[in-house]
Structures are given as structure tokens and as C-alpha cells.
Amino acid sequence: MTKKILAVLETIGGIASGLLFCTIMWQVLARVVFHVAATWTVEVGKALFVIMIFTGSPILIYRDGHMAIKTILEKLTGKKQN
């Protein structure tokens, strides 16, 4: 039962993350390419970020983990990382 709930939360968080990325990309395109202020993207972005936090927190608490953003530098090893 717990694994099913965590799977649903992960799915919702993943969808919210993807939608947040699309919203941010649309905002950049609208401002730079189309020269239009897409103000709705700010509000949608805030709501999606809150959804990501509230769906990710129970998963991290259950797994005794913490949120981390991996960068390209962490993937590199040795001289490449320097």
C-alpha cells in the first residue's frame, strides 16, 4: 500500500516537474522571441513548484533522504572534474 502511494506521488511530482520545465521554456520563448509578457506562467510555475515540494517531501521522509540537484560536474571523474 505504501509503495503504491509513493508511486502515485512520484508520478504527480514528475508530471509537475515536466510541466514546470515546459512553462519556463514557454516564458522564455514568449519574452525573447515573441516579445510578449506571459504573466500567467509565473503563477503556474509557483503552483507547480508547490506541488513538487508537497509530493516530494513525503517520499523523502519515508526514504530518509534529502533533495539534491545533480550537476554535470558530479558525473565527471578525475582530471575532467577539475
Side-chain angles (χ1 to χ4, degrees):
M1 180 70 175
T2 304
K3 290 186 180 187
K4 289 182 182 179
I5 294 172
L6 292 176
V8 169
L9 289 175
E10 285 178 354
T11 303
I12 293 171
I15 291 170
S17 178
L19 289 173
L20 181 63
F21 175 78
C22 293
T23 303
I24 291 170
M25 293 307 295
W26 176 253
Q27 183 179 25
V28 170
L29 283 173
R31 289 181 185 222
V32 175
V33 176
F34 304 123
H35 303 291
V36 177
T39 56
W40 62 270
T41 57
V42 175
E43 299 300 322
V44 171
K46 288 178 185 178
L48 289 170
F49 186 71
V50 168
I51 290 170
M52 286 173 46
I53 296 301
F54 282 109
T55 57
S57 296
I59 297 168
L60 295 173
I61 291 170
Y62 180 77
R63 295 181 180 164
D64 289 329
H66 58 84
M67 287 188 179
I69 298 173
K70 302 279 183 174
T71 61
I72 295 174
L73 291 177
E74 292 176 2
K75 301 282 183 184
L76 300 175
T77 58
K79 292 182 181 179
K80 293 179 185 177
Q81 192 174 30
N82 291 333

